[in-house]
Each structure stands twice: as C-alpha cells, then as structure tokens.
Amino acid sequence: MTAQQLSPNGSNSALCQLIAQQITNSPDQRITFADYMELALYHPQQGYYSTKAVTIGAQGDFFTSPHLGADFGELLAEQFVDMWRSLGQPSPFTLVEMGAGQGLLATDILQYLQQQYPDFLQAIEYVVVEKSPTLRLQQQQRLRSQSHLEASLSVRWCTWEEIAPDSIVGCCFSNELVDAFPVHQVVLTEGELQEVYVTLTSSPSTPDTMQFAEVLGELSTPQLREYFDWLGIPLLSGNYPEGYRTEVNLAALSWLQTVADRLQQGYLLTIDYGYPATRYYNPARSEGTLQCYYQHSYHNNPYFYVGYQDITAHVDFTALERQGDRCGLQQVGLIQQGLFLMALGLGDRIAALSHTDLSQPGESLQALLARREALHALASPMGLGNFNVLIQSKGLGISEQQKTLKGLSL
C-alpha cells in the first residue's frame, strides 16, 4: 500500500502509511487503539510529539499552566523546598521531571530557586525523563540558553532504564503527562466487554483508497477485565447501557510501578485532569473521555489530523492511588490544583497585585491585568484550578509522615 492509497483526513501522510503498515503486518490485520494512539503520538520520527508539528502554547494546539507565566513553576518550587526540609535537607535532592514539554517549567523552577533558595539549588540534581526527541532538544536549548544557571546546576536527560532501582531521594513530578499515555478502549456489547481495534477499510466514496476504521473484538489482555474488578466498577451488572464505551490506561499503571521502583525516599507528585473511578466510569458517561486537540479546538475523532493533533483521555485517580498501594507508595494527599496553589502562596501573589506601584518603570496597567488574569486562571474551578494534585510517598519515617506538606495545608 502506498501513501497515496490511504485517505488521511488532513493528516501526516507518512505517519498514516507507517500505521497502515503496522496494521497490514498484524496477524488479524488490526491493532489495539492503544497501539494506534502510541504510534500517532510517539512514533520516533513522525508522531505528534516527535515532530515540529507540535507547538504548545498560544500559537499551538493547547496550553498548560506554565504557559500562563512563571508563577506556577515558582509555587511548585516552594513545595519542593518544603519537601526537602521535611526530609532533613538531603544532598543530593533529586528532582525528576517526567514529560517536561518545552522546558518552561524546569526553567521557572530553577530560576526561582537560584533567586530565593540558593542553598536548596546547590543540593539539587535535576533529571528530565522525556520520550520525545524533539521536545528533549527544545528543553536542552531553553535551559542552556539560561547561561547564569549553568555554573551552579546539574541537569541531565535520561531514560528510566538509566536510573538505578531504589536510587532516588527527592521528588518525581509531572504536569499533564498521564492524560497523554496511550489508552485501550472498551465497549459493552450484549453484556460482554469487547475491545476497540483499528483496521483499514475501503472508502465508500472512493473505493480505491483506504481509511482507518474501528472493529470490535475480544480483549487483547485479561488485564482489561481485571481492571474493573480491581476498582469495584460493575460494568457487567446491567446498570450500564448497551454500547457503553470508555478507556483503560494500563500504561499509567506500568509507569507508576517504574517510578516507585526507582524511588528510595521521597515523593511522587502528579498533576492532571481526571476523576475518581466512580465518576470516571459513571453509567451516564457513556462515550468515555477521549478528546483530540487541534489549534485550540477539541473534538473526539482520533482519525482526523493524525500526527497533527493531540489525543488525550482523563486520568483515573483511583487507579493511581490503588496502584500506588500495590507498589509500596503511601498516599499523602489528593487536592484540587487551585487549593494546592493557594496554600503555596497564590493568594498572596494575587493580593500583592493590588499594591503594585504603576508609577515605577516597567509597570503598566495592561501587564498588571494580564498577570492577574493568569493567576486567577491557575486557580479557576472551571479550568486549571479543577485539576487534581496527587502526592504519594515512599521511605518516609514516622516523623516525616506526620508532617503536613505546605501544598496540602488547606
């Protein structure tokens, strides 16, 4: 099959060809939706996160909290300082950022620590685990352009395989990472759970071309059925409608196991959008949570703009909590991002804007209003403020477990 024979719906033709080849080479001429999503987002040369097609921020397909200014990173830095002190100020204290985007968050954190907590900065080893070669290059270029940071800072990029088990003392953290992990999709059909597969089919209007299509089949792994039993979600109870469709993020469970294996003492901090399992798998949420983002608009068709759009699914936070239990992590707290940031000083920053002297050079009403809008956006219960912040720990002593982290103090 040639690229010209595949109907790509405004997609990356080379990527569509690669996915089609994968389907053709598969024994049943189909691949799981999770495999499709993995290729669409993470193919090393053509995937969304691996090409220059991905531009995050105002000019791209979506934005994240760090795009609203340095405050998000600076407030996170306050939490890391608090964690360091809670652990008795170990050196080195390793910060592992997983999925660092364009490097904005790392830059904001490190610049703030250099200005406000130089003693903590001296103790830090900053590690980035990044799957995308393109984003890794952007991160390196951004951080290396901050010449004043280089002399006093250790930053390295590596894979999980390059980090020894039980070696990290510090904090592993991510912001909007887990929602982009490839998910399996399942459908309730005649009282049975079936999986969504992606195959190729002829286009009705142009029989000489092929397009991606979905077919249902038996589950690719018993883990999918076990997942719902594990969470206590009665999908086969008769309370769910025929055709009920949802996602299962098995990759998130594997990821959490990997992180827990590498962590000797410290914290795992996960920020993302999602629900507890009872809300995620509510019978009324019959179409799941899968969304695609393209130029700041969203829809639910992952077969348009393949390679040029982001594909995400909400995070099941109950699964992360229970997987943490299985992996030897203790739950420290689960809180909304807005409350978390307020506890770290966001409210003080908003209040301080009221006392800004606009007569000072460099200050303007326009800049003041823009910053105030950005700060409110971080806490808005209708948006970013409604994200979840999950903190888990490992290897803490009794006295350390009894301390309340600053971000959870509300």
Side-chain angles (χ1 to χ4, degrees), residues 321-334:
E321 292 170 333
R322 294 196 178 178
Q323 180 69 351
D325 291 340
R326 290 203 297 198
C327 297
L329 300 178
Q330 283 81 45
Q331 175 139 338
V332 179
L334 178 67

Side-chain angles (χ1 to χ4, degrees), residues 343-371:
L344 293 171
L346 178 61
D348 296 335
R349 292 182 177 223
I350 293 173
L353 292 178
S354 303
H355 305 290
T356 302
D357 185 355
L358 294 177
S359 66
Q360 295 297 316
E363 299 292 347
S364 71
L365 180 60
Q366 184 178 6
L368 178 70
L369 293 175
R371 181 153 184 259

Side-chain angles (χ1 to χ4, degrees), residues 8-12 48 294 299 301-310:
N9 295 316
S11 304
N12 177 336
Y48 176 75
Y294 180 72
H299 60 94
N301 191 330
Y303 309 109
F304 287 162
Y305 315 119
V306 183
Y308 297 143
Q309 69 177 1
D310 193 21

Side-chain angles (χ1 to χ4, degrees), residues 233-272:
I233 301 298
L235 272 189
L236 305 181
S237 65
N239 294 327
Y240 287 78
E242 175 72 12
Y244 181 87
R245 179 172 177 147
T246 192
E247 309 89 24
V248 177
N249 193 337
L250 296 181
L253 306 186
S254 299
W255 162 80
L256 202 147
Q257 176 73 67
T258 298
V259 178
D261 286 347
R262 302 309 191 276
L263 188 62
Q264 178 193 128
Q265 183 187 39
Y267 301 91
L268 170 60
L269 188 155
T270 306
I271 303 175
D272 223 316

Side-chain angles (χ1 to χ4, degrees), residues 307-320:
Y308 297 143
Q309 69 177 1
D310 193 21
I311 308 173
T312 76
H314 282 54
V315 176
D316 175 357
F317 276 87
T318 303
L320 295 186

Side-chain angles (χ1 to χ4, degrees), residues 126-197:
Y126 204 100
V127 175
V128 178
V129 176
E130 176 59 61
K131 194 170 185 178
S132 164
T134 301
L135 289 175
R136 192 183 311 126
L137 182 59
Q138 286 188 32
Q139 296 155 14
Q140 291 169 347
Q141 290 173 339
R142 184 179 298 275
L143 279 167
R144 287 167 183 167
S145 69
Q146 311 297 321
S147 58
H148 55 286
L149 286 176
E150 292 184 13
S152 59
L153 184 63
S154 167
V155 181
R156 63 186 175 96
W157 283 257
C158 62
T159 64
W160 284 118
E161 291 71 26
E162 295 169 318
I163 300 176
D166 223 24
S167 65
I168 296 170
V169 175
C171 179
C172 302
F173 71 100
S174 65
N175 178 55
E176 293 194 58
L177 171 70
V178 183
D179 64 85
F181 287 168
V183 294
H184 293 263
Q185 289 198 305
V186 295
V187 176
L188 194 59
T189 306
E190 297 180 351
E192 293 293 332
L193 200 59
Q194 292 194 295
E195 184 163 5
V196 175
Y197 291 84

